[in-house]
């Protein structure tokens, strides 16, 4: 029997599906984040099934994503909306490409809006760095009291887990 392989994702977690009961768990594998070769790890499922899997770090860069979206920002005292493309997404922030170069700088805030499966995520972001039309950003502090914000966070997490799984 070939051994099942699982991969460490960008959040240093790995998704494991029990071969017996199909229960899915997400393990924190941050202590393995610097491994250079596969490590065998053991898992006891709560259904009683014992299994051994090989944990690996992905050898290839995650493939680029292209999610269309809309940005809103203030240029001088004008409010500007434009088209953008999300190129990378994590729970902490996103990288995106603007339709045209804008007069913005690191430290500025703007709004990013994009469609994930069934949710339109609208979040304020803090610009980390800009290179031409490419913007690296972090989500501004989350409002854990806000149901809307929690919905956005869940949609992002779901999207990330789903794409991680699709790459296996
Ligand atoms: Zn199980």
């Amino acid at each position: 029997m070939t051994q099942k392989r699982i991969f460490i994702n960008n959040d240093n977690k790995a998704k494991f599906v029990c071969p017996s009961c199909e229960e899915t768990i997400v393990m924190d594998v941050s202590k393995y984040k610097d491994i250079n070769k596969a490590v065998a790890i053991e898992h006891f499922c709560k259904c009683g099934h014992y299994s051994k899997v090989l944990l690996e770090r992905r050898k290839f860069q995650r493939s680029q994503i292209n999610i269309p979206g809309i940005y809103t920002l203030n240029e001088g005292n004008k409010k500007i909306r434009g088209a953008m493309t999300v190129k990378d997404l994590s729970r902490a922030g996103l990288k995106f490409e603007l339709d045209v170069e804008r007069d913005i700088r690191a430290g500025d805030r703007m709004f990013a809006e994009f469609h994930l499966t069934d949710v339109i995520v609208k979040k304020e972001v803090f610009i980390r760095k800009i290179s031409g039309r490419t913007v690296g950003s972090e989500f501004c502090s989350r409002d854990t009291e806000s149901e809307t914000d929690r919905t956005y966070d869940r949609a992002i997490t779901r999207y990330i887990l789903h794409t991680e799984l699709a790459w296996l």
Side-chain angles (χ1 to χ4, degrees), residues 114-129:
F114 51 94
H115 205 112
L116 284 185
T117 327
D118 51 345
V119 181
I120 296 170
V121 177
K122 266 187 221 180
K123 274 188 167 282
E124 190 177 19
V125 300
F126 173 82
I127 300 170
R128 274 273 168 227
K129 63 176 182 192

Side-chain angles (χ1 to χ4, degrees), residues 18-23 43 45-49:
C18 172
S20 174
C21 69
E22 296 185 346
E23 164 103 352
H43 176 68
C45 181
K46 59 184 178 199
C47 75
H49 189 83

